[in-house]
Amino acid sequence: MHFLFTLLSIFLLQTQHSTLALDLEKGRDARIVYYGSTVTDPAVFRHAGIWGQTAYPAYGLSGTAETALAITQADGNKTLSLTVTDWTVGTWDNGELLTVTLKDSVYPVTVRLYYKSFREEDMIETWTRIDNEGKKPILLTRFDSGHLPIRGGDTWVSSLYGTWANEGRVNTEPLTRGTKVIKNLDGTRNSHTSHGEVMISLDGRPREDAGRVIGAALCWGGNYELRLQKNDSDYDHFFAGICPENAEYHLAKGEGFVTPHLALTFSDEGLGGASRNFHRWGRKYRLAHGDRERKILLNSWEGVYFDINEPGMKQMMEDIASMGGELFVMDDGWFGDKYPRLTDNSSLGDWVVDRNKLPDGIGWLVKTAAEAGVKFGIWIEPEMTNTVSELYEQHPDWVLKAAGRPVLTGRGGTQLVLDLSNPAVQDFVFDVVDRLMTENPGIDYIKWDANMNISEHGSQYLKEQSHLQVAYWAGFAAVCDRIRAKYPDLTIQACASGGGRANWGVLPWFDEFWVSDNTDALQRIYMQWGTSYFFPAIAMASHISATPNHTVFRTTSLKYRVDVASSGRLGMEIQPKNMTEAEKDFCRRAIASYKRIRPVVQFGDLYRLVSPYDDKGFASLMYASEDKDTAVFYWWKIANFYDEHFPRVRMAGLDPDRSYKVTELNRIDLRPLAFEGKTFSGRYLMENGLDIPYNNEPAHDAKTDWSSRVLLLEAQ
Ligand code: DGJ
């Protein structure tokens, strides 16, 4: 519902629990007046003396203010003065779309601001279209997706940072005077280093269950720049968009430029409320097959690395099937004819099966998987090549390369990035998938990897070199659109040297992302915690792996690894033939348990209860189904001090007036917990919680210094 209060010219874009108010008067700048909890009377802002801030400030006539748009006209003029000429409101089945048209008073430039509400999920997507309606080209030097003025106060910012094998770490800090810039210049993997999402807490240090929070996520796979500014005025400012550094965009006569969407949410239920909004919206509108349960899989990478062969693949398929898994994924190392892929220094681009390793081809693998009772998936890295490859020999002009210089190589000393701005390369990348799928329609899953950044600025195809960052991702989108049009049911994982592609820009084409190459359970608690700020568990691939862990060399108990992995999209990343029968048996039970809780984990609401970042010695979270029928509670010790006693954890997300029966899953203790099989009211569990012993108590020779619990709560 909206009001267009003509006298006041204030437009209210409503969601279930939030309002975005814009002041739209023809001949004036468009203003954002308010973003917060529901307001239904637009007059209130005038009575309160709130006049708003320019919605989309443009450079040149705005003094010292930070701006969202900067254009250099054909004659060199750098000023813009955007005023409202029109606005329209459309409806769709879950909200409204407000389109505000602004024009410059002198130059033929039209800017359209879009605000689309997602009523049920309390989300708003905003984006911008810039049209050059003149006869000469213009140059965009900044083109943000959106700007949000935020009434200043005790504002805090939570963002994610990290690097390879340490992705998704939470950084929480007050917004202090000056401008905080969060950006990424990788080119292909934009969630290593930092993330293009932030939580802005308005009531001091962020809390999980209380306080006003604005969450923002730039839906974009490439370089981004988020700016948070606190100056000497009443308002803080948040800007987000494609990073304009060395990416100026020439807009030809008659051409339009559409920015990526910026997803915003408001919640007065703290970080947890904002995360749940992102998760619901994401599952419904931004994640491929967000309503479809994910299969439990075994991925071959940490089990065999490049040592792919038929007996080995068959054994892994049979092993995962025997443990109750549903899918086997053959990772890197299966391809290359003239240059077989024996390690990471060759063959990308030569997507033909290595007949020495797999004499009977992919068809045989698909068939053998089916015989074993699982589906088959395969790894590719289609955006890349190596200097040692037939592809590069045939098409040296297809790689990104600065003119007049030797190529800069990445992984293995030979890797190169293909130039996706080139339509011939787009056809090639599409064909990689299309050929695999046409020849082997039984392929169920593709792991799409990307292990190199754009390390040199150079397209051998583009005329305007500064278009590279935008054109690469336009090419990527074109390829993915074609793949999805032809293969709508295929499951595709976004992997990029681990968690380099956790962003809402790529997820409309991808079902999930690989959170990190680091599968150590302890470190995963921290990484998955941070990642869950913006992304739902269904999208977070989380695998049980061997110990000592291959990245950090830590040894944790199998139960601990299982209990962490089963809080996301459960899989395995291990050589089953090296597991004991007892370990396989435990995993068989754990997979069966996961199947019970899978709908709650993958579609439920997340409640983060005790943060690992608070150093309390343990961490805890839970998921509850939307109807509050079922919930699952996780508890993991994160620091191993003997005889350290922990407080009870108050649960959340339950119905206070219903009774829940408690069942421990993945139990290793000799004796059941006191509350096993007992029922408690939701109110009791949320006000008190249950006593979780600080140690697991299995047989003496099975004891370790790790402990964890998973409790299933079922409404009676
Ligand atoms: C990087 C990925 O993150 C790994 O899971 C694995 O697929 C390797 N690439 C294969 O080269």
Side-chain angles (χ1 to χ4, degrees):
M1 171 161 98
H2 72 272
F3 293 92
L4 194 55
F5 206 80
T6 43
L7 194 66
L8 295 173
S9 65
I10 288 183
F11 177 86
L12 303 180
L13 189 65
Q14 304 285 18
T15 70
Q16 245 194 105
H17 306 104
S18 75
T19 300
L20 175 71
L22 282 108
D23 189 348
L24 303 172
E25 201 177 302
K26 287 189 184 170
R28 256 196 22 207
D29 60 336
R31 294 186 176 195
I32 292 179
V33 175
Y34 171 84
Y35 185 39
S37 57
T38 302
V39 171
T40 52
D41 176 7
V44 82
F45 302 114
R46 290 292 184 263
H47 296 160
I50 299 172
W51 304 102
Q53 303 279 308
T54 302
Y56 196 69
Y59 181 76
L61 298 167
S62 50
T64 56
E66 194 78 19
T67 50
L69 175 69
I71 294 181
T72 306
Q73 303 292 340
D75 62 4
N77 193 316
K78 283 181 169 291
T79 64
L80 267 187
S81 167
L82 297 175
T83 55
V84 177
T85 58
D86 190 20
W87 60 86
T88 58
V89 188
T91 54
W92 67 293
D93 59 12
N94 189 22
E96 291 170 315
L97 173 64
L98 168 67
T99 307
V100 183
T101 305
L102 306 155
K103 286 188 187 290
D104 185 73
S105 44
V106 176
Y107 289 90
V109 171
T110 298
V111 173
R112 286 187 182 81
L113 308 180
Y114 299 91
Y115 299 92
K116 180 177 181 180
S117 61
F118 294 72
R119 193 179 43 235
E120 292 300 313
E121 296 77 21
D122 284 318
M123 297 284 305
I124 290 175
E125 287 183 21
T126 182
W127 69 99
T128 301
R129 181 186 169 103
I130 303 144
D131 280 286
N132 176 11
E133 285 159 358
K135 295 200 172 67
K136 297 196 174 135
I138 61 174
L139 186 65
L140 311 185
T141 56
R142 176 175 288 289
F143 32 90
D144 281 338
S145 293
H147 160 239
L148 194 65
I150 299 164
R151 182 65 174 82
D154 192 1
T155 310
W156 284 60
V157 180
S158 310
S159 56
L160 305 182
Y161 72 97
T163 185
W164 176 81
N166 190 20
E167 294 92 337
R169 301 296 299 260
V170 178
N171 185 54
T172 305
E173 61 192 330
L175 183 64
T176 53
R177 303 265 167 213
T179 303
K180 179 179 171 65
V181 178
I182 298 173
K183 70 178 186 183
N184 180 283
L185 297 174
D186 186 282
T188 62
R189 306 161 303 179
N190 75 3
S191 53
H192 279 148
T193 67
S194 50
H195 264 243
E197 301 94 29
V198 282
M199 293 285 193
I200 305 167
S201 298
L202 309 183
D203 299 313
R205 186 180 282 281
R207 291 166 56 191
E208 274 298 332
D209 53 356
R212 295 170 303 155
V213 174
I214 291 171
L218 187 70
C219 305
W220 175 241
N223 295 351
Y224 55 79
E225 188 178 275
L226 313 184
R227 287 166 294 146
L228 292 129
Q229 188 190 51
K230 187 180 260 315
N231 57 27
D232 291 322
S233 76
D234 286 341
Y235 281 85
D236 302 332
H237 296 270
F238 171 65
F239 296 85
I242 294 174
C243 183
E245 232 168 84
N246 299 309
E248 314 87 70
Y249 204 85
H250 299 258
L251 214 50
K253 157 186 162 201
E255 225 187 327
F257 183 94
V258 182
T259 70
H261 291 205
L262 172 66
L264 300 168
T265 190
F266 173 85
S267 173
D268 55 13
E269 291 178 17
L271 295 173
S275 294
R276 287 186 289 279
N277 293 347
F278 274 115
H279 297 174
R280 287 184 178 162
W281 158 85
R283 280 192 303 257
K284 195 147 179 208
Y285 300 105
R286 274 254 160 209
L287 176 69
H289 311 121
D291 58 352
R292 196 163 87 180
E293 277 190 9
R294 303 312 195 233
K295 297 187 182 76
I296 299 161
L297 62 85
L298 169 67
N299 184 285
S300 68
W301 182 241
E302 286 193 23
V304 298
Y305 292 101
F306 293 99
D307 191 11
I308 302 273
N309 56 58
E310 284 183 352
M313 295 300 96
K314 183 169 189 284
Q315 163 252 312
M316 289 182 116
M317 291 169 186
E318 287 169 354
D319 278 335
I320 186 62
S322 78
M323 286 185 271
E326 298 150 332
L327 169 69
F328 170 73
V329 181
M330 178 175 68
D331 208 287
D332 198 351
W334 59 268
F335 53 94
D337 177 20
K338 181 171 169 190
Y339 303 107
R341 176 86 163 170
L342 303 176
T343 181
D344 64 3
N345 63 8
S346 73
S347 327
L348 295 173
D350 301 350
W351 302 107
V352 287
V353 76
D354 176 351
R355 292 277 166 185
N356 289 320
K357 291 179 177 178
L358 301 167
D360 299 307
I362 307 295
W364 179 86
L365 292 162
V366 176
K367 187 170 102 334
T368 307
E371 282 162 9
V374 289
K375 298 279 186 193
F376 178 75
I378 193 164
W379 178 97
I380 51 174
E381 194 178 357
E383 295 154 81
M384 307 284 165
T385 189
N386 294 99
T387 52
V388 184
S389 71
E390 293 187 69
L391 181 73
Y392 186 60
E393 284 173 352
Q394 288 154 18
H395 298 286
D397 54 322
W398 278 8
V399 303
L400 292 178
K401 177 186 173 304
R405 298 181 187 278
V407 284
L408 285 180
T409 51
R411 189 182 186 199
T414 58
Q415 188 158 337
L416 301 166
V417 184
L418 294 176
D419 185 354
L420 266 180
S421 72
N422 183 339
V425 173
Q426 293 168 24
D427 286 345
F428 170 79
V429 175
F430 171 75
D431 282 348
V432 172
V433 175
D434 194 34
R435 221 168 340 104
L436 273 173
M437 293 304 297
T438 317
E439 288 168 12
N440 311 283
I443 291 177
D444 184 71
Y445 177 108
I446 281 181
K447 174 172 175 178
W448 178 309
D449 208 343
N451 290 300
M452 191 179 163
N453 62 319
I454 296 182
S455 55
E456 58 187 306
H457 194 136
S459 163
Q460 302 184 72
Y461 172 79
L462 288 173
K463 200 162 111 279
E464 298 292 358
Q465 289 296 308
S466 68
H467 288 194
L468 175 58
Q469 298 296 342
V470 169
Y472 185 91
W473 284 95
F476 184 91
V479 171
C480 289
D481 281 345
R482 283 170 72 186
I483 292 172
R484 277 308 183 195
K486 191 154 178 196
Y487 303 105
D489 288 332
L490 183 65
T491 304
I492 315 182
Q493 180 189 76
C495 175
S497 313
R501 278 189 177 163
N503 67 66
W504 285 117
V506 302
L507 286 174
W509 301 292
F510 292 80
D511 299 67
E512 60 179 31
F513 55 86
W514 184 220
V515 176
S516 177
D517 275 349
N518 183 346
T519 54
D520 169 56
L522 177 65
Q523 218 171 319
R524 274 291 183 120
I525 292 174
Y526 290 79
M527 293 189 280
Q528 293 177 187
W529 192 273
T531 307
S532 80
Y533 274 35
F534 304 97
F535 302 97
I538 191 173
M540 296 205 269
S542 180
H543 294 179
I544 302 162
S545 62
T547 52
N549 179 270
H550 292 192
T551 304
V552 308
F553 306 101
R554 196 187 331 266
T555 297
T556 52
S557 72
L558 180 60
K559 170 167 170 62
Y560 194 78
R561 284 174 273 148
V562 162
D563 285 358
V564 172
S566 64
S567 67
R569 196 282 281 133
L570 177 67
M572 299 185 82
E573 186 91 17
I574 198 166
Q575 172 50 282
K577 87 173 176 207
N578 296 339
M579 295 167 76
T580 64
E581 276 316 308
E583 286 173 331
K584 281 189 190 162
D585 199 49
F586 183 69
C587 286
R588 192 170 300 121
R589 281 202 289 134
I591 287 174
S593 303
Y594 186 77
K595 288 179 182 166
R596 276 175 87 181
I597 58 175
R598 174 160 51 187
V600 193
V601 175
Q602 299 192 355
F603 306 119
D605 284 328
L606 168 68
Y607 293 86
R608 288 179 298 255
L609 304 173
V610 179
S611 169
Y613 293 90
D614 287 346
D615 287 334
K616 296 247 166 46
F618 71 105
S620 178
L621 58 78
M622 63 190 288
Y623 300 98
S625 62
E626 219 174 316
D627 58 13
K628 300 187 186 295
D629 266 356
T630 316
V632 54
F633 169 90
Y634 294 84
W635 186 102
W636 308 284
K637 197 164 159 182
I638 56 169
N640 292 305
F641 295 105
Y642 193 70
D643 215 3
E644 189 184 10
H645 297 263
F646 298 116
R648 292 180 192 132
V649 184
R650 293 171 62 175
M651 297 189 184
L654 304 173
D655 182 336
D657 299 321
R658 291 171 82 183
S659 293
Y660 291 87
K661 182 171 138 207
V662 182
T663 310
E664 184 183 3
L665 303 180
N666 309 336
R667 192 176 110 200
I668 56 167
D669 290 35
L670 293 178
R671 268 186 302 280
L673 294 165
F675 42 75
E676 176 71 26
K678 307 279 178 359
T679 56
F680 302 86
S681 71
R683 179 170 288 104
Y684 179 86
L685 295 171
M686 292 195 288
E687 286 177 2
N688 300 283
L690 295 170
D691 282 299
I692 307 292
Y694 61 86
N695 271 345
N696 288 109
E697 292 292 345
H700 187 78
D701 59 357
K703 286 188 176 177
T704 72
D705 50 353
W706 297 93
S707 54
S708 55
R709 303 279 168 179
V710 182
L711 305 179
L712 171 64
L713 308 169
E714 291 167 301
Q716 298 303 293

Coordinates of all heavy atoms in Angstrom, one line a residue, residues 481-516:
D481 N 22.7 -16.8 -18.6 CA 21.3 -16.8 -19.1 C 21.1 -17.9 -20.1 O 20.1 -18.6 -20.0 CB 21.0 -15.4 -19.7 CG 20.8 -14.3 -18.7 OD1 20.6 -14.7 -17.5 OD2 20.8 -13.1 -19.0
R482 N 22.0 -18.1 -21.0 CA 21.9 -19.1 -22.0 C 21.9 -20.5 -21.4 O 21.1 -21.3 -21.7 CB 23.0 -19.0 -23.0 CG 22.8 -17.9 -24.0 CD 24.0 -17.7 -24.9 NE 24.2 -18.7 -25.9 CZ 25.3 -18.8 -26.6 NH1 26.3 -17.9 -26.5 NH2 25.5 -19.8 -27.5
I483 N 22.8 -20.7 -20.4 CA 22.8 -22.0 -19.8 C 21.5 -22.3 -19.0 O 21.0 -23.3 -19.1 CB 24.0 -22.0 -18.8 CG1 25.3 -22.0 -19.6 CG2 24.0 -23.3 -17.9 CD1 26.6 -21.8 -18.8
R484 N 21.1 -21.3 -18.3 CA 19.8 -21.5 -17.5 C 18.6 -21.7 -18.4 O 17.7 -22.4 -18.1 CB 19.6 -20.3 -16.5 CG 20.4 -20.5 -15.2 CD 20.2 -21.9 -14.7 NE 20.9 -22.2 -13.4 CZ 21.0 -23.4 -12.9 NH1 20.5 -24.4 -13.5 NH2 21.6 -23.6 -11.8
A485 N 18.6 -21.0 -19.6 CA 17.5 -21.1 -20.5 C 17.4 -22.6 -21.0 O 16.3 -23.2 -21.1 CB 17.6 -20.2 -21.6
K486 N 18.6 -23.1 -21.2 CA 18.6 -24.5 -21.8 C 18.6 -25.6 -20.7 O 18.1 -26.7 -20.9 CB 19.8 -24.7 -22.7 CG 19.8 -25.9 -23.5 CD 20.6 -25.8 -24.8 CE 20.5 -27.2 -25.5 NZ 21.5 -27.3 -26.5
Y487 N 19.2 -25.3 -19.5 CA 19.3 -26.3 -18.5 C 18.8 -25.7 -17.2 O 19.5 -25.5 -16.2 CB 20.8 -26.7 -18.3 CG 21.3 -27.2 -19.6 CD1 22.2 -26.5 -20.4 CD2 20.9 -28.5 -20.1 CE1 22.7 -26.9 -21.6 CE2 21.4 -28.9 -21.3 CZ 22.3 -28.2 -22.1 OH 22.7 -28.6 -23.3
P488 N 17.5 -25.5 -17.1 CA 16.9 -24.9 -15.9 C 17.0 -25.7 -14.7 O 17.0 -25.2 -13.6 CB 15.4 -24.7 -16.3 CG 15.2 -25.6 -17.4 CD 16.4 -25.8 -18.1
D489 N 17.1 -27.1 -14.8 CA 17.1 -27.9 -13.6 C 18.5 -28.3 -13.1 O 18.6 -28.9 -12.1 CB 16.4 -29.2 -14.0 CG 14.9 -28.9 -14.0 OD1 14.4 -28.0 -13.4 OD2 14.2 -29.6 -14.8
L490 N 19.5 -28.0 -13.9 CA 20.9 -28.3 -13.5 C 21.2 -27.6 -12.2 O 20.9 -26.5 -12.0 CB 21.8 -27.9 -14.6 CG 23.3 -28.2 -14.5 CD1 23.6 -29.7 -14.5 CD2 24.1 -27.5 -15.7
T491 N 21.9 -28.4 -11.3 CA 22.4 -27.7 -10.1 C 23.8 -27.2 -10.4 O 24.6 -27.9 -10.9 CB 22.5 -28.7 -8.9 OG1 21.2 -29.3 -8.7 CG2 22.9 -28.1 -7.6
I492 N 24.1 -26.0 -10.1 CA 25.4 -25.4 -10.3 C 25.9 -24.8 -9.1 O 25.3 -24.0 -8.4 CB 25.4 -24.4 -11.5 CG1 24.6 -24.9 -12.7 CG2 26.8 -24.0 -11.9 CD1 24.5 -23.9 -13.9
Q493 N 27.2 -25.1 -8.7 CA 27.8 -24.5 -7.6 C 28.8 -23.4 -8.0 O 29.5 -23.6 -9.0 CB 28.6 -25.5 -6.8 CG 29.3 -24.9 -5.6 CD 30.3 -25.8 -4.8 OE1 31.4 -26.0 -5.3 NE2 29.9 -26.4 -3.7
A494 N 28.7 -22.3 -7.4 CA 29.7 -21.2 -7.6 C 30.9 -21.4 -6.7 O 30.7 -21.2 -5.5 CB 29.1 -19.8 -7.4
C495 N 32.0 -21.7 -7.3 CA 33.2 -21.9 -6.5 C 34.2 -20.9 -7.1 O 34.2 -20.7 -8.3 CB 33.7 -23.3 -6.6 SG 35.3 -23.6 -5.8
A496 N 35.1 -20.4 -6.3 CA 36.1 -19.5 -6.8 C 37.2 -19.5 -5.8 O 37.2 -18.7 -4.9 CB 35.5 -18.1 -7.1
S497 N 38.2 -20.4 -6.0 CA 39.3 -20.5 -5.1 C 38.7 -20.6 -3.7 O 39.1 -19.9 -2.8 CB 40.3 -19.4 -5.1 OG 40.6 -19.1 -6.5
G498 N 37.7 -21.4 -3.5 CA 37.0 -21.5 -2.2 C 35.8 -20.5 -2.3 O 35.0 -20.6 -3.3
G499 N 35.7 -19.6 -1.4 CA 34.5 -18.7 -1.2 C 34.6 -17.4 -1.9 O 34.1 -16.4 -1.4
G500 N 35.2 -17.4 -3.1 CA 35.4 -16.1 -3.8 C 34.1 -15.6 -4.5 O 34.1 -14.5 -5.0
R501 N 33.1 -16.4 -4.6 CA 31.9 -16.0 -5.3 C 30.6 -16.1 -4.4 O 29.6 -16.6 -4.8 CB 31.7 -16.7 -6.6 CG 32.6 -16.0 -7.7 CD 32.3 -16.6 -9.1 NE 33.1 -15.8 -10.0 CZ 33.3 -16.2 -11.3 NH1 32.8 -17.4 -11.7 NH2 34.1 -15.5 -12.1
A502 N 30.7 -15.7 -3.2 CA 29.6 -15.6 -2.3 C 29.0 -14.2 -2.5 O 29.4 -13.3 -1.8 CB 29.9 -15.8 -0.9
N503 N 28.1 -14.1 -3.5 CA 27.5 -12.8 -3.7 C 26.1 -13.0 -4.4 O 25.9 -13.9 -5.1 CB 28.4 -11.8 -4.5 CG 28.6 -12.3 -5.9 OD1 27.7 -12.3 -6.7 ND2 29.8 -12.7 -6.2
W504 N 25.2 -12.0 -4.1 CA 23.9 -12.2 -4.7 C 23.8 -11.8 -6.1 O 22.8 -11.9 -6.8 CB 22.9 -11.3 -3.9 CG 22.5 -11.9 -2.5 CD1 22.8 -11.4 -1.3 CD2 21.8 -13.2 -2.3 NE1 22.3 -12.2 -0.3 CE2 21.7 -13.3 -0.9 CE3 21.3 -14.2 -3.2 CZ2 21.1 -14.4 -0.3 CZ3 20.7 -15.3 -2.6 CH2 20.6 -15.4 -1.2
G505 N 25.0 -11.4 -6.7 CA 25.0 -11.1 -8.1 C 25.0 -12.4 -9.0 O 24.4 -12.4 -10.0
V506 N 25.8 -13.4 -8.5 CA 25.8 -14.6 -9.3 C 24.7 -15.6 -8.9 O 24.4 -16.5 -9.7 CB 27.2 -15.3 -9.3 CG1 28.3 -14.3 -9.8 CG2 27.5 -15.8 -7.9
L507 N 24.2 -15.5 -7.7 CA 23.4 -16.6 -7.2 C 22.1 -16.9 -8.0 O 21.5 -18.0 -7.9 CB 23.1 -16.4 -5.7 CG 24.4 -16.8 -4.9 CD1 24.1 -16.5 -3.4 CD2 24.8 -18.2 -5.0
P508 N 21.6 -15.9 -8.7 CA 20.4 -16.2 -9.5 C 20.6 -17.4 -10.5 O 19.7 -18.1 -10.9 CB 20.0 -14.9 -10.3 CG 20.5 -13.9 -9.4 CD 21.8 -14.4 -8.7
W509 N 21.9 -17.6 -10.9 CA 22.2 -18.7 -11.8 C 22.7 -19.9 -11.1 O 22.9 -21.0 -11.7 CB 23.2 -18.3 -12.8 CG 22.8 -17.1 -13.7 CD1 21.8 -17.1 -14.6 CD2 23.4 -15.8 -13.7 NE1 21.7 -15.8 -15.2 CE2 22.7 -15.0 -14.6 CE3 24.4 -15.2 -12.9 CZ2 23.0 -13.7 -14.9 CZ3 24.7 -13.9 -13.2 CH2 24.0 -13.1 -14.1
F510 N 23.1 -19.7 -9.8 CA 23.8 -20.8 -9.1 C 23.0 -21.2 -7.9 O 22.3 -20.4 -7.2 CB 25.2 -20.3 -8.6 CG 26.1 -20.1 -9.8 CD1 26.1 -18.9 -10.5 CD2 27.1 -21.0 -10.1 CE1 26.9 -18.7 -11.6 CE2 27.9 -20.8 -11.2 CZ 27.9 -19.7 -11.9
D511 N 23.1 -22.5 -7.5 CA 22.3 -23.0 -6.4 C 23.0 -22.8 -5.1 O 22.3 -23.0 -4.0 CB 22.1 -24.5 -6.6 CG 21.3 -24.8 -7.9 OD1 21.9 -24.6 -9.0 OD2 20.2 -25.3 -7.8
E512 N 24.3 -22.6 -5.1 CA 25.0 -22.6 -3.8 C 26.4 -22.1 -4.1 O 26.8 -21.9 -5.3 CB 25.1 -24.0 -3.3 CG 25.8 -25.0 -4.2 CD 26.0 -26.4 -3.6 OE1 25.1 -26.8 -2.8 OE2 27.0 -27.1 -3.9
F513 N 27.2 -21.9 -3.1 CA 28.6 -21.5 -3.3 C 29.4 -22.3 -2.3 O 28.9 -22.8 -1.2 CB 28.8 -20.0 -3.1 CG 28.3 -19.4 -1.8 CD1 29.1 -19.5 -0.7 CD2 27.1 -18.9 -1.7 CE1 28.6 -18.9 0.5 CE2 26.6 -18.3 -0.5 CZ 27.4 -18.4 0.6
W514 N 30.7 -22.5 -2.7 CA 31.6 -23.2 -1.8 C 32.1 -22.1 -0.8 O 32.6 -21.1 -1.3 CB 32.7 -23.8 -2.6 CG 33.8 -24.6 -2.0 CD1 35.1 -24.6 -2.3 CD2 33.6 -25.6 -1.0 NE1 35.8 -25.5 -1.5 CE2 34.9 -26.2 -0.7 CE3 32.5 -26.1 -0.3 CZ2 35.1 -27.2 0.2 CZ3 32.7 -27.1 0.7 CH2 34.0 -27.6 0.9
V515 N 31.9 -22.3 0.5 CA 32.2 -21.3 1.5 C 33.7 -21.0 1.5 O 34.1 -19.9 1.7 CB 31.6 -21.7 2.8 CG1 32.0 -20.7 3.9 CG2 30.1 -21.8 2.8
S516 N 34.5 -22.1 1.5 CA 35.9 -21.9 1.6 C 36.6 -23.2 1.3 O 36.1 -24.3 1.5 CB 36.3 -21.5 3.1 OG 37.7 -21.4 3.3

